[in-house]
Amino acid sequence: MKPRIQWPLPVSILLILIILFVTMGVTHGQGNQETSGKLRNPLNVHNGADPWLEYYEGNYYLAATTWASGLTMRKSPTLAGLKTAEPLQIYFETDSSRCCNMWAPEFRLLDGPNGLRWYFYYSAGTWGTYDNQHPHVLESAGTDPMGPYTYKGQLYNTWAIDGSVLQLNDSLYFLFSAFENGLQSLFIAPMSDPWTISGERTRISEPEYDWEAAGSYVNEGPVSLHHDDKTFIIYSASACWTPDYKLGMLTYSGGDPLSADSWTKHAEPVFQRSDENGVFAPGHNGFFKSPDGTEDWIVYHANDSTSGGCDGGRTTRVQKFTWNEDGTPNFGVPVSTTEEIAAPSGDIGSDPLPEFPALVISRFKARSYDNAYLRHANFLVRVDSLVNPIADSQFVIVPGLADSEAVSIESLNFPGFYLRHQRNAVVLTPDDGTESFEADSTWWIRPGLADSTWISFESYSQPGKVIGKLFNVMALVAQADITTDRAREDATFLEERAQ
Ligand code: AHR
């Protein structure tokens, strides 16, 4: 048994004090910024739209729009660590009245009738469309943001999106975006508990300024922000598919929050594109504090180019913001993805991935036409020339979902969506919870039927069948039925790669 080192008492106490001091100084950001880490935006390479981010009990939690029937959460002890954190599925819904195209998550720790619980709000509608979007809420079993969650309810049965909870004057209110008089506007309604709307809605903002009407008249993504004795609602304005999507601000002027007169709109946007920094369509934000509670941060999505759309190509960005003399927030300018920023105070994480590796993007040129490519449109797959947006014909080849020796073909602008066959049609779908999803989304790359230097896609789940054409629609066709030159050409493609 090793002799114990006998320190004189004062040294061992000194050691403990030194360890305590260093630990406190490093993990709680006492004093200088040198203890803070560094990071660069974005926090993900796609599927980063409409992000919500919370810091809770030593970890950051991040959720974003999934476009599908599952909700995911990333967890990391450092902000930069979210970049490589696995998005874990925390909920999956097969009831079509509660899913299937999930947008705009928001999760808040609220002390309601069931005690302290996380309430996870999302909008969901018909898969592959913008239709039938309704706000829903889940409740956690305890106080772990990772869940498990159970379905708690639907808050509206009319079209409404981007639900968010406002806590003001010891009351709960539901903020959301919906249509009135043909304009997508902001509304507020009272809540009797975190899952129940208890009164009529009031419209508190409609798009009225030119900066709220780029591409379409839109006010959406309302989020409350409190500072000292002031309350604001920061919201997104203009069409999300334009580079001029931006943030606006309402200031609470006192009185009944359910009265439109209690909210005053700022005449100018408060956060918008920076051509100099290469950031476009910044919007649909959330707010969080640094681990030591001393700093205010904004999380938002944006595109890297003016041609970016309102799709899975949007990525999550974060930056610190300050306050003006008059107590209003100063969000500054969206930072460039090349700029290294200091991590939140008290966060010593180093950036594991300053720059995401460039995706290898593939397009599949059809043998049977000049300059035509395989593309998805309304989640059906066909061959088109002059594809617009070109992203509809851009894919990323990944290891096969059912067999990593094979491949799966993931959409670039709808990440998490894969080329699959369904009832013999070739379509683009996300994981729909069926057992056949993975097998039907897995393909073997074979020498092209019309030209062995090109390729054909043989189904993993139905060997001997390839992506071909039936009645002028891309379909799964038995190789034995492909007997003409035209049919062979319809099943033959040339992969073109770009980074
Ligand atoms: O990103 C999906 C939806 O698009 C968001 O919920 C909404 O803010 C935007 O219009």
Side-chain angles (χ1 to χ4, degrees):
M1 184 160 145
K2 281 181 66 177
R4 278 168 46 84
I5 297 174
Q6 296 298 330
W7 290 100
L9 186 55
V11 172
S12 55
I13 288 177
L14 184 61
L15 268 178
I16 290 167
L17 288 175
I18 289 170
I19 289 166
L20 277 176
F21 171 74
V22 169
T23 307
M24 288 298 290
V26 166
T27 53
H28 296 286
Q30 306 298 337
N32 61 34
Q33 277 286 12
E34 278 65 56
T35 59
S36 283
K38 302 280 186 193
L39 74 144
R40 282 172 47 180
N41 282 297
L43 298 185
N44 38 45
V45 70
H46 53 49
N47 263 359
D50 318 313
W52 189 262
L53 200 156
E54 291 274 357
Y55 183 80
Y56 178 72
E57 294 193 346
N59 284 289
Y60 296 87
Y61 296 88
L62 171 64
T65 283
T66 64
W67 302 103
S69 295
L71 294 165
T72 61
M73 184 81 84
R74 292 174 191 236
K75 173 181 178 180
S76 166
T78 64
L79 190 56
L82 288 173
K83 297 171 84 167
T84 52
E86 183 67 28
L88 300 178
Q89 183 162 280
I90 57 164
Y91 188 74
F92 192 85
E93 183 58 71
T94 54
D95 179 332
S96 61
S97 69
R98 303 173 177 180
C99 72
C100 312
N101 182 2
M102 293 176 168
W103 297 347
E106 173 178 306
F107 48 98
R108 288 182 185 264
L109 188 62
L110 300 173
D111 194 357
N114 299 334
L116 211 49
R117 292 287 185 278
W118 286 94
Y119 288 92
F120 194 110
Y121 298 87
Y122 68 92
S123 318
T126 306
W127 180 74
T129 73
Y130 286 175
D131 303 338
N132 307 313
Q133 283 285 331
H134 302 132
H136 302 265
V137 60
L138 311 174
E139 181 183 74
S140 63
T143 56
D144 183 348
M146 299 304 287
Y149 287 93
T150 52
Y151 186 81
K152 200 67 185 171
Q154 176 174 311
L155 293 114
Y156 273 108
N157 58 13
T158 54
W159 197 95
I161 62 171
D162 300 355
S164 179
V165 168
L166 161 66
Q167 301 177 75
L168 182 59
N169 307 336
D170 294 326
S171 297
L172 283 184
Y173 299 92
F174 193 61
L175 306 176
F176 60 97
S177 175
F179 282 90
E180 190 163 279
N181 305 329
L183 294 177
Q184 192 180 334
S185 304
L186 300 184
F187 294 86
I188 187 171
M191 301 180 90
S192 53
D193 57 43
W195 58 88
T196 308
I197 301 292
S198 54
E200 292 303 309
R201 76 183 198 182
T202 304
R203 188 182 65 196
I204 52 174
S205 171
E206 66 177 35
E208 53 189 301
Y209 293 103
D210 289 347
W211 56 265
E212 297 180 282
S216 182
Y217 284 81
V218 176
N219 281 184
E220 61 187 15
V223 182
S224 57
L225 175 64
H226 303 281
H227 179 63
D228 294 342
D229 60 347
K230 294 185 183 302
T231 294
F232 308 94
I233 292 176
I234 307 301
Y235 67 93
S236 300
S238 285
C240 57
W241 57 86
T242 72
D244 294 303
Y245 195 61
K246 58 180 71 72
L247 296 182
M249 180 170 78
L250 305 180
T251 300
Y252 174 59
S253 49
D256 179 358
L258 294 170
S259 164
D261 296 339
S262 302
W263 300 95
T264 305
K265 180 177 291 186
H266 202 64
E268 297 299 328
V270 292
F271 193 64
Q272 58 191 319
R273 68 188 273 182
S274 165
D275 292 40
E276 181 186 357
N277 289 349
V279 182
F280 304 92
H284 204 134
N285 67 291
F287 298 109
F288 64 99
K289 290 272 192 185
S290 57
D292 65 5
T294 63
E295 295 175 346
D296 290 291
W297 283 66
I298 184 171
V299 60
Y300 59 96
H301 73 233
N303 282 320
D304 290 324
S305 74
T306 55
S307 59
C310 189
D311 54 28
R314 293 169 293 175
T315 54
T316 302
R317 287 90 183 301
V318 291
Q319 60 189 71
K320 189 171 74 169
F321 68 91
T322 58
W323 299 93
N324 298 314
E325 286 295 311
D326 64 0
T328 58
N330 184 337
F331 298 120
V333 174
V335 296
S336 160
T337 55
T338 59
E339 180 180 346
E340 189 176 62
I341 62 176
S345 176
D347 178 335
I348 57 170
S350 60
D351 192 338
L353 202 59
E355 195 152 331
F356 286 98
L359 288 173
V360 177
I361 299 169
S362 297
R363 297 184 76 204
F364 301 102
K365 186 173 186 173
R367 174 84 181 191
S368 40
Y369 298 96
D370 282 340
N371 201 31
Y373 290 83
L374 207 58
R375 58 94 43 101
H376 63 83
N378 298 323
F379 302 97
L380 296 174
V381 174
R382 63 177 194 241
V383 165
D384 270 351
S385 50
L386 303 177
V387 179
N388 182 27
I390 190 172
D392 285 356
S393 65
Q394 295 177 316
F395 300 91
V396 177
I397 301 293
V398 297
L401 298 177
D403 181 332
S404 59
E405 294 298 309
V407 299
S408 288
I409 303 161
E410 184 176 14
S411 163
L412 180 70
N413 58 348
F414 281 90
F417 285 57
Y418 297 86
L419 288 192
R420 68 168 292 181
H421 62 83
Q422 201 167 41
R423 294 182 288 281
N424 279 334
V426 180
V427 294
L428 186 76
T429 82
D431 182 346
D432 56 10
T434 60
E435 284 189 8
S436 59
F437 166 72
E438 291 186 349
D440 295 349
S441 307
T442 299
W443 305 90
W444 296 107
I445 301 289
R446 303 298 191 204
L449 298 185
D451 179 334
S452 61
T453 63
W454 291 36
I455 60 174
S456 290
F457 300 100
E458 180 184 8
S459 167
Y460 171 85
S461 54
Q462 296 202 28
K465 292 188 177 181
V466 296
I467 294 180
K469 195 173 274 188
L470 276 180
F471 311 114
N472 207 32
V473 172
M474 298 317 291
L476 200 63
V477 183
Q479 235 169 292
D481 297 339
I482 298 179
T483 56
T484 66
D485 288 346
R486 179 68 189 194
R488 279 185 283 274
E489 288 185 348
D490 285 341
T492 302
F493 303 88
L494 177 67
E495 183 184 2
E496 295 178 350
R497 290 195 171 192
Q499 274 200 336

